[in-house]
């Protein structure tokens, strides 16, 4: 009998291996890269100039082609703090209005007052002609400058950004450099800027330690290279690109600051993008590339170390280490997927979408899982769900049978020599308060708060108070005794827990007689607390 059971268990194990879906060999790396991508953002800067010139026919308005810059960045706090390069936002942030007015006036004069003649005039004569027109119109011309700074997530959400900290670009030489003819000075800096957008529960990256990077260590740079987002052979899309390489060395810039060298491909648009190590931690920020005669030389690119960036983060007062609900759910969904728990992963992805919708990798994973589930239902891996239970039951049967035979005579002996022990189970009936449903599906219902408290959520298998509403998290909140008080705790719910009003989301709060617990910003359900 036991030999038969052994062969049966082995056969089931081999059968399960033959029907298990195959994943890429390096799933850990794939999972890491997919995990970090939602927190990498596109930075877009636009400066426009409207020029009004007094002509013989009266004032005329002209609009020149705007100055645009794109770069990359990465979110470091769920409430919208992010990092990018100083040079990405330089034209937006610096006090350069006089330069910009001159730039747009020259563009208009060249386009509308010189026009096609500029193609046939030698460069030195063209410059003299342009300077003459500038001197003629400069006093009476009005130039209105408008600057815009936007942050775009890969789910196409667009935010207006504010600069919280700024350091100028790294320059070929240290110190300040005055620009002749303008009230403007260029200064060599560390090329870091901290921005802020208004939102919450955003995806974030985790920061590493750049002092611990090793020569030859793999590095993964994520960003929005302009050659990809505006490629003529590709449809317009906003999704970060990953390039890979290794740490080539550590250098010192002209100001004496450390710089990390890498052979990972970097180009225009990657500026400000994060460089990750194998653990998915940011170790540096793409800053500048190597050039020769106007052409980029790939394989010799440089990163600002993340430990340098941390100086700016601290100076900006950004609290590091605050957890992101989006990250928690997204990481759980990926883990469930790679474990082959497709139904559970799909449920978790629905929770991700309730926080922030339409991230490309979330959509792709949903489609992959739905395809796998459909294939399973049509015979691909139909029996996979029940297989673990079969293996457990067969294994337990074999072990149980063995123990039964071995212990049979011993149990008889113990029954004679040892008097039976009587166990008395003590059940606490102490009540610490009651909750009365005020609104939602639980309105009018009464719930007692015992020593273990009560858990509130929509999952009937995990909660004492069940609220069947998709806007309520599976495990939303807990109410119970703690010390001398009864407290309510939010369990990382998607839509938050509040007390008495929806102004401030709570993490934990002691309850007073008559306090109303509100579930969700939209007051999807509420309960009033009364003392016992």
């Amino acid at each position: 009998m036991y030999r038969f059971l052994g062969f049966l268990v082995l056969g089931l194990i081999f059968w399960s291996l033959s029907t298990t879906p195959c994943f890429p060999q390096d799933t850990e790396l794939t999972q890491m890269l997919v995990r970090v991508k939602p927190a990498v953002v596109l930075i877009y800067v636009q400066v426009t100039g409207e020029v009004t010139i007094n002509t013989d026919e009266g004032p005329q308005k002209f609009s020149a082609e705007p100055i645009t810059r794109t770069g990359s960045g990465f979110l470091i706090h769920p409430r919208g703090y992010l990092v990018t390069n100083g040079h990405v936002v330089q034209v937006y942030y610096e006090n350069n209005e006089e330069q910009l007015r001159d730039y747009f006036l020259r563009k208009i004069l060249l386009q509308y007052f010189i026009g096609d003649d500029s193609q046939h005039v030698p460069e030195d004569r063209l410059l003299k002609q342009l300077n003459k027109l500038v001197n003629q119109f400069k006093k009476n011309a009005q130039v209105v400058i408008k600057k815009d700074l936007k942050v775009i997530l890969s789910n196409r959400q667009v935010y207006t950004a504010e600069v919280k900290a700024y350091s100028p670009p790294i320059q070929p030489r240290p110190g300040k450099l005055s620009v002749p003819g303008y009230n403007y000075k260029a200064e060599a800096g560390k090329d870091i800027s901290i921005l802020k957008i208004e939102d919450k529960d955003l995806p974030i990256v985790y920061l590493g330690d750049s002092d611990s990077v090793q020569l030859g260590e793999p590095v993964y740079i994520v960003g929005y290279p302009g050659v990809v987002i505006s490629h003529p052979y590709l449809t317009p899309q906003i999704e970060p690109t990953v390039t890979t390489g290794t740490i080539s060395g550590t250098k010192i810039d002209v100001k004496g600051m450390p710089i990390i060298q890498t052979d990972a491909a970097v180009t225009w648009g990657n500026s400000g993008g994060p460089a990750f190590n194998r653990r998915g931690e940011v170790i540096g920020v793409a800053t500048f590339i190597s050039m020769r005669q106007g052409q980029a030389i790939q394989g010799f690119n440089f990163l600002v170390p993340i430990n340098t960036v941390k100086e700016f983060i601290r100076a900006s007062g950004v609290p590091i280490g605050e957890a992101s609900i989006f990250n928690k759910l997204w990481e759980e969904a990926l883990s469930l997927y790679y474990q082959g728990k497709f139904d559970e992963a799909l449920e978790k992805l629905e929770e991700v979408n309730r926080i922030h919708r339409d991230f490309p990798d979330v959509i792709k994973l949903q489609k992959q899982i739905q395809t796998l589930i459909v294939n399973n239902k049509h015979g691909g891996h139909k029996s996979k769900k029940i297989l673990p239970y079969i293996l457990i039951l067969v294994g337990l049967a074999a072990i149980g049978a063995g123990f039964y035979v071995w212990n049979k005579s011993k149990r008889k002996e113990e029954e004679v020599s040892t008097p039976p022990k009587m166990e008395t189970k003590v059940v606490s009936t102490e009540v610490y308060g009651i909750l009365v449903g005020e609104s939602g599906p639980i309105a009018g219902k009464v719930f007692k708060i015992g020593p273990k408290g009560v858990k509130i959520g929509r999952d009937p298998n995990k909660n004492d108070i069940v609220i069947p509403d998709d806007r309520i998290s599976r495990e939303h909140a807990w109410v119970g005794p703690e010390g001398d008080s009864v407290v309510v705790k939010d369990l990382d719910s998607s839509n938050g827990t509040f007390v008495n009003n929806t102004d401030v989301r709570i993490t934990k709060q002691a309850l007073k007689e008559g306090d109303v617990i509100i579930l969700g910003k939209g007051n999807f359900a509420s309960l009033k607390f009364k003392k016992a």
Side-chain angles (χ1 to χ4, degrees):
M1 173 183 176
Y2 303 125
R3 184 177 296 176
F4 169 74
L5 284 172
F7 282 127
L8 178 60
V9 171
L10 286 172
L12 285 168
I13 290 171
F14 284 123
W15 174 65
S16 72
L17 290 173
S18 68
T19 58
T20 301
C22 293
F23 293 110
Q25 286 186 339
D26 199 345
T27 56
E28 186 178 336
L29 175 59
T30 303
Q31 187 173 342
M32 181 276 285
L33 292 172
V34 172
R35 173 175 63 80
V36 303
K37 282 174 63 183
V40 182
V41 303
L42 173 66
I43 312 291
Y44 180 80
V45 176
Q46 179 173 277
V47 180
T48 58
E50 186 179 78
V51 181
T52 303
I53 296 177
N54 292 317
T55 66
D56 294 339
E57 300 174 358
Q60 291 191 33
K61 286 186 178 181
F62 303 89
S63 294
E65 185 179 349
I67 300 170
T68 59
R69 300 283 186 273
T70 63
S72 304
F74 52 97
L75 288 154
I76 56 172
H77 190 279
R79 290 194 177 271
Y81 291 93
L82 62 127
V83 174
T84 187
N85 281 149
H87 77 259
V88 170
V89 299
Q90 182 182 24
V91 69
Y92 169 86
Y93 180 78
E94 290 193 350
N95 184 19
N96 52 9
E97 276 69 17
E98 189 174 345
Q99 266 189 306
L100 291 172
R101 280 193 287 270
D102 184 77
Y103 169 84
F104 283 113
L105 177 59
R106 287 174 178 272
K107 290 280 286 186
I108 292 300
L109 293 174
L110 186 62
Q111 182 176 353
Y112 293 100
F113 289 75
I114 298 177
D116 294 338
D117 293 342
S118 62
Q119 299 177 11
H120 310 291
V121 178
E123 189 174 339
D124 57 340
R125 284 180 56 193
L126 179 63
L127 183 59
K128 286 181 181 179
Q129 187 178 352
L130 184 57
N131 286 337
K132 184 178 178 180
L133 286 171
V134 169
N135 293 330
Q136 179 183 341
F137 290 107
K138 191 172 185 178
K139 289 184 179 179
N140 296 321
Q142 293 182 341
V143 184
V144 178
I145 304 297
K146 182 184 177 184
K147 298 179 177 182
D148 286 304
L149 173 60
K150 303 292 185 184
V151 170
I152 307 170
L153 274 60
S154 58
N155 66 349
R156 296 183 177 272
Q157 283 284 8
V158 181
Y159 302 84
T160 298
E162 177 186 359
V163 179
K164 290 293 185 181
Y166 171 80
S167 175
I170 298 168
Q171 301 284 1
R173 60 181 183 177
K176 293 185 178 181
L177 174 66
S178 296
V179 179
Y182 302 99
N183 183 24
Y184 175 77
K185 292 182 179 180
E187 181 181 3
K190 298 179 182 178
D191 202 23
I192 291 298
S193 186
I194 308 296
L195 310 185
K196 175 72 167 67
I197 60 175
E198 292 302 322
D199 208 338
K200 62 179 183 178
D201 300 330
L202 290 163
I204 62 172
V205 300
Y206 303 116
L207 306 183
D209 178 9
S210 51
D211 289 343
S212 65
V213 299
Q214 301 292 319
L215 188 66
E217 179 182 344
V219 65
Y220 308 90
I221 296 177
V222 185
Y224 294 85
V227 68
V228 175
I229 62 175
S230 59
H231 200 291
Y233 291 178
L234 301 175
T235 57
Q237 52 195 315
I238 299 175
E239 186 175 352
T241 295
V242 180
T243 55
T244 64
T246 57
I247 300 296
S248 309
T250 54
K251 308 295 180 185
I252 302 295
D253 73 4
V254 293
K255 288 187 69 175
M257 299 303 299
I259 289 288
I260 299 172
Q261 183 180 335
T262 178
D263 60 1
V266 175
T267 188
W268 293 274
N270 273 119
S271 295
F276 294 93
N277 61 17
R278 181 82 185 196
R279 294 183 297 278
E281 301 165 336
V282 180
I283 56 170
V285 183
T287 180
F288 62 88
I289 62 177
S290 297
M291 302 280 293
R292 177 176 292 169
Q293 297 178 346
Q295 298 295 318
I297 306 172
Q298 283 301 341
F300 303 93
N301 302 313
F302 299 89
L303 316 170
V304 177
I306 197 63
N307 289 359
T308 300
V309 179
K310 288 177 183 177
E311 299 170 12
F312 292 87
I313 295 172
R314 285 191 290 267
S316 303
V318 182
I320 295 300
E322 185 170 329
S324 163
I325 297 173
F326 183 97
N327 278 46
K328 178 178 179 293
L329 296 173
W330 179 223
E331 289 163 17
E332 288 175 357
L334 288 169
S335 177
L336 290 166
Y337 168 71
Y338 282 106
Q339 292 175 52
K341 299 177 181 178
F342 301 136
D343 290 324
E344 294 175 57
L346 207 55
E347 289 180 15
K348 195 65 67 174
L349 290 172
E350 290 172 4
E351 293 185 52
V352 173
N353 274 325
R354 278 197 289 273
I355 298 174
H356 290 286
R357 300 194 64 83
D358 299 331
F359 277 100
D361 287 299
V362 176
I363 294 171
K364 288 175 189 174
L365 191 59
Q366 282 180 310
K367 290 180 179 178
Q368 282 180 290
I369 292 173
Q370 287 163 354
T371 301
L372 285 166
I373 290 174
V374 168
N375 289 341
N376 289 350
K377 287 180 179 178
H378 288 81
H381 308 294
K382 187 174 181 180
S383 55
K384 183 177 180 292
K385 292 181 183 178
I386 200 171
L387 177 60
Y389 301 105
I390 295 173
L391 292 174
I392 290 168
L393 288 172
V394 171
L396 289 174
I399 294 168
F403 273 109
Y404 175 78
V405 173
W406 185 70
N407 283 325
K408 187 174 181 181
S409 59
K410 192 172 182 180
R411 280 204 313 272
K412 286 182 179 179
E413 189 177 325
E414 287 176 350
E415 286 171 5
V416 174
S417 60
T418 307
K421 294 181 180 180
M422 301 296 293
E423 291 185 0
T424 304
K425 189 175 182 181
V426 179
V427 179
S428 173
T429 58
E430 190 172 0
V431 176
Y432 290 81
I434 60 172
L435 295 172
V436 181
E438 290 276 291
S439 64
I442 53 171
K445 295 182 181 179
V446 178
F447 307 92
K448 294 180 180 179
I449 304 171
K452 294 184 178 180
V454 291
K455 191 184 287 186
I456 308 166
R458 78 168 190 274
D459 190 336
N461 299 316
K462 296 183 178 181
N463 297 282
D464 306 293
I465 301 176
V466 179
I467 304 175
D469 187 323
D470 285 343
R471 297 168 296 182
I472 301 295
S473 293
R474 295 177 70 182
E475 296 175 85
H476 198 104
W478 176 86
V479 181
E482 189 172 281
D484 297 328
S485 304
V486 174
V487 302
V488 55
K489 294 181 181 179
D490 183 77
L491 302 178
D492 287 333
S493 64
S494 298
N495 292 307
T497 303
F498 305 82
V499 176
N500 294 330
N501 58 63
T502 56
D503 293 341
V504 180
R505 175 175 179 158
I506 63 104
T507 302
K508 180 175 78 170
Q509 183 168 321
L511 294 171
K512 304 186 298 295
E513 175 74 23
D515 278 347
V516 177
I517 301 167
I518 301 170
L519 304 175
K521 187 80 172 175
N523 196 348
F524 309 126
S526 61
L527 304 103
K528 180 178 284 188
F529 170 70
K530 293 186 177 181
K531 292 183 178 180

